[in-house]
Amino acid sequence: MPGSARANWREADCVRCAGAVAAGAGVLLWSRSGSWVTYHPEHAPEAEPGGMTSDVEALRVNEWDGECEVCGGPVAARAGVLVLAPPGHGRGKWRVAHREHVREAAPPPRGGHNGWHRGPLMAFDIATTGNRYGVDRMLGAAVRVTDGPGRWWLIDPGPEEVSVSPRKTHRITVEEARAEGVPAARALDELADVLAGRLSAEEPLVVWYAPFVLTTLEAELRRHGLASLADRTPHGVSPVCDPLVLDRHADPDRRGGRSLEAVTEWYGVPHGSHRAPYDHPGDPRCDAEAALALASVVGACFPGVGRLSGPVLHAKQTRWHRDRQGQIRGGKSGAGVETWPLDQPVEVLPWRDHDAG
């Protein structure tokens, strides 16, 4: 079965040959017309990220006369196809196109405009024992920059009995961190100073899924009696650039996953070459490098994002994050919405085994 496609759950006709496909015997993909379509396995195109397809045969036929969104020429009823409008042209809006003019699903072309995405950037990522705020500990941290060498800290979490959740993919063990790592207090203090220097210069700090990464860092600093990142800078934890927030805002209607792996694949950004032991998705060195490149690419693809100043970029993301959380909660606000890029409260909590929650 090609790519990230799934099996069809009920009997249907193959889009390519119109022959019957028994339930479970075919390939199911999501078309750009906003519907599931079925293929015989031998007729299915390679699936795009998220199990999508740009196959023209999978698109709906236009029932009415229209104007081609690509060339502007007339399209007679049932002579063309329907495609969803590109981002910024209205959620759920349809456009008509000649079959030969249908564009494959792809990010917008990268523009040559100036902006923060072309200036010096620093990206930061961490490896933790799990995903629980205030409970899980940092085992590693990486910084990658566009204008110099990066840095890496393997962090000794101390003698307390801790363990790594099976869901974590960074491959760093507690034993390795204790044997080869820098004591946590020293590593965290050095790391926070490096990040504070970048933020104090009002240059965006790139952090994929910033609320988890930055809140975890603040909790770990507090755990070891160190000054918070917010207290080390004149304007708090700002400006931050979270490529996840930017991508969700700039391309809200795109189907498919929004993991770092899925988004880097969509934009054609390399994410791990496996040429070194750490060069794989999940390791903070690899993820920080991917996030750094991704931030630059998103800024280049969307001029309305790339041209923002650092402080305005930060303020806009705070609002975009708040709006998204409001949509998720049915219009109700919730914890962490007004405090982006942190999730409040920042707490230091005692260790609990992973199976204890």
Side-chain angles (χ1 to χ4, degrees):
M1 188 169 294
S4 53
R6 63 181 71 180
N8 60 314
W9 59 77
R10 62 185 179 185
E11 184 178 351
D13 291 337
C14 175
V15 166
R16 286 283 176 86
C17 72
V21 184
V27 173
L28 197 63
L29 296 174
W30 183 262
S31 82
R32 291 179 62 205
S33 282
S35 60
W36 291 105
V37 292
T38 304
Y39 297 88
H40 287 113
E42 63 271 21
H43 295 163
E46 186 68 25
E48 298 165 10
M52 294 185 66
T53 179
S54 297
D55 181 14
V56 175
E57 298 302 319
L59 299 179
R60 296 176 184 171
V61 174
N62 62 313
E63 296 294 336
W64 308 98
D65 294 344
E67 184 178 285
C68 179
E69 68 144 356
V70 179
C71 72
V75 184
R78 303 197 63 79
V81 291
L82 293 175
V83 293
L84 282 172
H89 291 72
R91 181 184 294 270
K93 299 294 184 181
W94 295 100
R95 297 290 186 268
V96 179
H98 293 110
R99 287 178 174 270
E100 64 271 21
H101 291 165
V102 172
R103 301 167 179 165
E104 290 189 7
R110 303 177 192 181
H113 52 280
N114 291 323
W116 57 265
H117 61 290
R118 301 185 70 180
L121 293 174
M122 172 183 286
F124 161 56
D125 197 39
I126 61 177
T128 62
T129 56
N131 297 327
R132 299 167 299 178
Y133 289 114
V135 175
D136 282 296
R137 312 301 163 80
M138 286 173 56
L139 300 178
V143 163
R144 291 290 184 264
V145 295
T146 56
D147 54 350
R151 292 194 62 178
W152 160 247
W153 292 265
L154 185 63
I155 302 173
D156 177 2
E160 185 178 2
E161 284 298 321
V162 298
S163 61
V164 178
S165 167
R167 291 178 292 180
K168 303 304 288 186
T169 59
H170 50 66
R171 304 180 192 173
I172 300 169
T173 66
V174 173
E175 293 73 23
E176 177 189 359
R178 286 200 179 111
E180 303 176 23
V182 176
R186 191 175 93 204
L188 292 166
D189 200 33
E190 289 178 1
L191 170 63
D193 276 345
V194 170
L195 301 180
R198 181 65 55 148
L199 293 174
S200 297
E202 296 193 31
E203 295 170 349
L205 175 64
V206 177
V207 191
W208 176 266
Y209 195 22
F212 173 74
V213 173
L214 293 172
T215 305
T216 299
L217 172 63
E218 293 289 65
E220 287 286 77
L221 290 168
R222 182 178 295 183
R223 187 188 308 279
H224 293 278
L226 301 168
S228 69
L229 180 59
D231 289 340
R232 296 175 192 235
T233 66
H235 19 259
V237 187
S238 174
V240 168
C241 168
D242 187 339
L244 176 58
V245 175
L246 300 186
D247 177 60
R248 279 175 169 163
H249 167 75
D251 196 357
D253 297 321
R254 188 176 79 245
R255 292 186 62 87
R258 299 280 177 154
S259 66
L260 182 56
E261 290 89 339
V263 178
T264 51
E265 182 181 0
W266 172 251
Y267 286 97
V269 171
H271 187 196
S273 66
H274 300 277
R275 294 176 182 172
Y278 62 83
D279 196 11
H280 61 86
D283 188 284
R285 290 160 287 190
C286 178
D287 288 356
E289 191 165 319
L292 185 67
L294 183 60
S296 295
V297 169
V298 173
C301 288
F302 299 97
V305 171
R307 290 194 176 108
L308 299 173
S309 67
V312 173
L313 177 71
H314 185 98
K316 292 279 191 182
Q317 288 172 99
T318 302
R319 192 185 78 194
W320 297 335
H321 176 74
R322 181 183 65 234
D323 292 347
R324 173 174 168 75
Q325 293 303 308
Q327 292 172 0
I328 292 172
R329 296 182 173 94
K332 299 177 182 179
S333 62
V337 174
E338 300 293 339
T339 56
W340 188 91
L342 300 178
D343 257 347
Q344 294 287 358
V346 175
E347 296 181 295
V348 176
L349 301 173
W351 175 260
R352 301 192 306 272
D353 287 339
H354 295 288
D355 57 8

